[in-house]
Amino acid sequence: MTQKYSGKCLCGEVTYTADGPPIVVAQCHCEECRRLSGTGHTVGAMFVSDAVAVRGKLSEFSYSSNKGSEVTKVFCANCGSPIYGKNTRTPDHLTLSLGTMDNASGLHVEVVIFERDKPHWDRLREEVVSFATQPDWKPEN
């Protein structure tokens, strides 16, 4: 039995299903991925394009990578959630944003790319305080 994954954007207007398992789950620290996510990295699961069905209104943004390929980022036209990316170097594949999956249990980062570009602030120190949920904290004026 093939594992099936599903996901959606923040507003729920875009949904998808993917027949798995993914080819690879990767964390990327390149400048483009950092700017796309607004964080220090992105995490994505690569699938064969034919194994993925996407429904909803999408928008695209394309740019040239430092390897000379064209990269296209596809996102919800309403809320802007990144849904997937595609690259002309791997034309029959797309990479779903792992954070949009309904249930990614069993999936783990297998490779990290552009580790050299990982910002210092994306490396958590042991003494960083962690909360299970949003804390009851209010900033002082």
Side-chain angles (χ1 to χ4, degrees), residues 6-26:
S6 62
K8 63 183 175 293
C9 63
L10 179 61
C11 71
E13 203 167 290
V14 173
T15 60
Y16 65 82
T17 58
D19 294 327
I23 294 161
V24 68
V25 177

Side-chain angles (χ1 to χ4, degrees), residues 45-133:
M46 180 184 274
F47 291 85
V48 174
S49 299
D50 290 344
V52 179
V54 181
R55 288 168 286 304
K57 187 175 179 185
L58 300 167
S59 290
E60 296 184 353
F61 176 75
S62 297
Y63 61 91
S64 293
S65 77
N66 63 2
K67 292 277 191 182
S69 61
E70 182 174 299
V71 177
T72 302
K73 299 296 185 177
V74 181
F75 50 94
C76 173
N78 186 51
C79 69
S81 295
I83 304 299
Y84 68 88
K86 53 188 179 176
N87 188 316
T88 56
R89 290 174 58 97
T90 53
D92 298 329
H93 298 80
L94 55 81
T95 301
L96 292 167
S97 297
L98 209 61
T100 63
M101 283 191 179
D102 296 326
N103 183 356
S105 62
L107 297 182
H108 305 281
V109 172
E110 299 168 270
V111 298
V112 176
I113 55 178
F114 286 97
E115 172 71 21
R116 69 172 190 211
D117 297 337
K118 185 176 187 174
H120 73 279
W121 48 263
D122 198 29
R123 303 171 200 271
L124 298 180
R125 302 178 324 264
E126 286 183 27
E127 63 271 14
V128 171
V129 178
S130 180
F131 299 94
T133 64

Side-chain angles (χ1 to χ4, degrees), residues 30-57:
C30 75
E31 179 180 0
E32 292 83 5
C33 283
R34 291 193 325 263
R35 291 186 184 280
L36 173 73
S37 71
T39 67
H41 61 273
T42 60
V43 179
M46 180 184 274
F47 291 85
V48 174
S49 299
D50 290 344
V52 179
V54 181
R55 288 168 286 304
K57 187 175 179 185

